[in-house]
Amino acid sequence: MLYYGNLSSNKTEILIKNYARLLNSGVSADEILVIVQNSKMKEEFINETKKLLTIDALSKFNVYSFFGLCHNFVLEYYPILENKINKGKNRVLPNLCGLEASRYIFKKTIDKQIFKGYNSKTNLLHQLLRRQSLITLNALTDEEIDKRAKILYESFTGEVKNAINLYKQKTLEFRAFDYLRQVQLFSFLYKNVKNPYKYVFVDDADEIVPALFEYLKFIKNYVKEFFIAYD
């Protein structure tokens, strides 16, 4: 079900009414996923939903920003990832952290992966972070990355690929997963676990990142109904 309109068209209110309707009809909150733009909108969505409920208040609503969804997915299904990690001392939970983790690990990676003729390590660090962000949020495959590199006549393609692979290896060993690494792990997990959601709500769908679009496209055959609002 699609809802189209401008900022004053109450699209979010319509989503909330349909969400509350499903909950009041007996659908479990565990079977419904809601994607909003940020934590402020998450809080508002939940608070407005509670006002419409005719059942007892629920302890958990699956209302997330995209990065929040990735974060919680990694936590919930981390044992699957743990079995894939061959190095380092096993731990119960990963260290889900901020961007500074990537900066630190990439900085150490540069010392191991030599970039001939590239004198500025500060600029190189910035370029690696930017490249990793573009790859992750656009859900690019290795083939798409190589194709773009050829179009741009990149001279450091091999070194960059090695650096990113080393970075990914180290984040697994250290369990130091920043928000971009969490997106990558989420992309692996949802393809390897059973989809838990029967209903999916997406607010401001015109602003979602390609990585979220790929997820929604992947689960479409397992979902009973989508409720999508966009401008």
Side-chain angles (χ1 to χ4, degrees):
M1 189 175 295
L2 297 176
Y3 302 102
Y4 173 78
N6 57 32
L7 293 176
S8 61
S9 60
N10 298 321
K11 300 185 303 300
T12 301
E13 182 180 336
I14 294 173
L15 291 184
I16 291 171
K17 288 181 178 179
N18 278 281
Y19 181 53
R21 175 180 58 80
L22 287 175
L23 294 174
N24 288 331
S25 70
V27 177
S28 170
D30 292 334
E31 297 178 331
I32 311 173
L33 171 65
V34 180
I35 301 293
V36 295
Q37 283 297 308
N38 52 53
S39 56
K40 183 175 183 290
M41 294 179 70
K42 168 185 175 178
E43 184 177 354
E44 291 176 355
F45 197 101
I46 292 175
N47 289 338
E48 292 303 313
T49 296
K50 289 180 177 179
K51 296 176 182 179
L52 301 176
L53 293 182
T54 58
I55 59 175
D56 292 337
L58 301 169
S59 58
K60 179 183 178 183
F61 296 88
N62 292 313
V63 181
Y64 304 110
S65 67
F66 175 55
F67 291 120
L69 173 64
C70 295
H71 179 102
N72 282 275
F73 224 83
V74 171
L75 278 180
E76 183 172 357
Y77 294 103
Y78 186 69
I80 295 175
L81 297 174
E82 187 70 51
N83 291 332
K84 298 290 184 180
I85 300 174
N86 299 320
K87 297 181 180 180
K89 184 179 179 181
N90 289 339
R91 302 174 187 174
V92 176
L93 291 174
N95 177 25
L96 303 183
C97 47
L99 181 60
E100 67 277 2
S102 278
R103 293 183 63 86
Y104 177 79
I105 297 175
F106 264 134
K107 186 175 180 180
K108 295 299 181 182
T109 296
I110 293 173
D111 294 333
K112 292 191 175 183
Q113 174 57 54
I114 305 301
F115 288 77
K116 295 180 180 179
Y118 213 115
N119 297 321
S120 173
K121 286 193 174 183
T122 301
N123 187 45
L124 178 57
L125 177 61
H126 174 75
Q127 292 298 327
L128 286 172
L129 287 166
R130 181 175 178 274
R131 186 186 187 95
Q132 181 68 357
S133 178
L134 289 172
I135 291 172
T136 302
L137 297 183
N138 287 283
L140 297 180
T141 64
D142 289 339
E143 291 75 16
E144 289 170 329
I145 296 169
D146 290 340
K147 182 178 180 180
R148 294 182 182 210
K150 291 178 180 178
I151 293 174
L152 296 173
Y153 297 103
E154 289 185 344
S155 58
F156 295 98
T157 302
E159 290 91 337
V160 167
K161 183 180 292 187
N162 290 338
I164 289 179
N165 285 338
L166 181 58
Y167 156 77
K168 291 163 68 174
Q169 176 187 340
K170 290 301 179 183
T171 57
L172 283 175
E173 291 180 23
F174 300 151
R175 277 72 168 175
F177 305 152
D178 74 337
Y179 75 105
L180 289 177
R181 193 65 167 109
Q182 291 170 46
V183 173
Q184 290 184 313
L185 296 173
F186 168 73
S187 296
F188 166 79
L189 285 170
Y190 73 68
K191 296 171 185 174
N192 289 276
V193 300
K194 183 180 178 181
N195 170 55
Y197 305 115
K198 294 181 180 178
Y199 303 90
V200 176
F201 290 72
V202 183
D203 199 8
D204 294 321
D206 50 305
E207 298 182 21
I208 66 175
V209 297
L212 173 54
F213 177 78
E214 290 297 321
Y215 168 63
L216 297 175
K217 186 168 66 173
F218 184 86
I219 65 172
K220 67 178 182 179
N221 292 329
Y222 307 100
V223 173
K224 283 187 176 181
E225 191 168 6
F226 282 92
F227 298 83
I228 299 176
Y230 65 99
D231 293 333

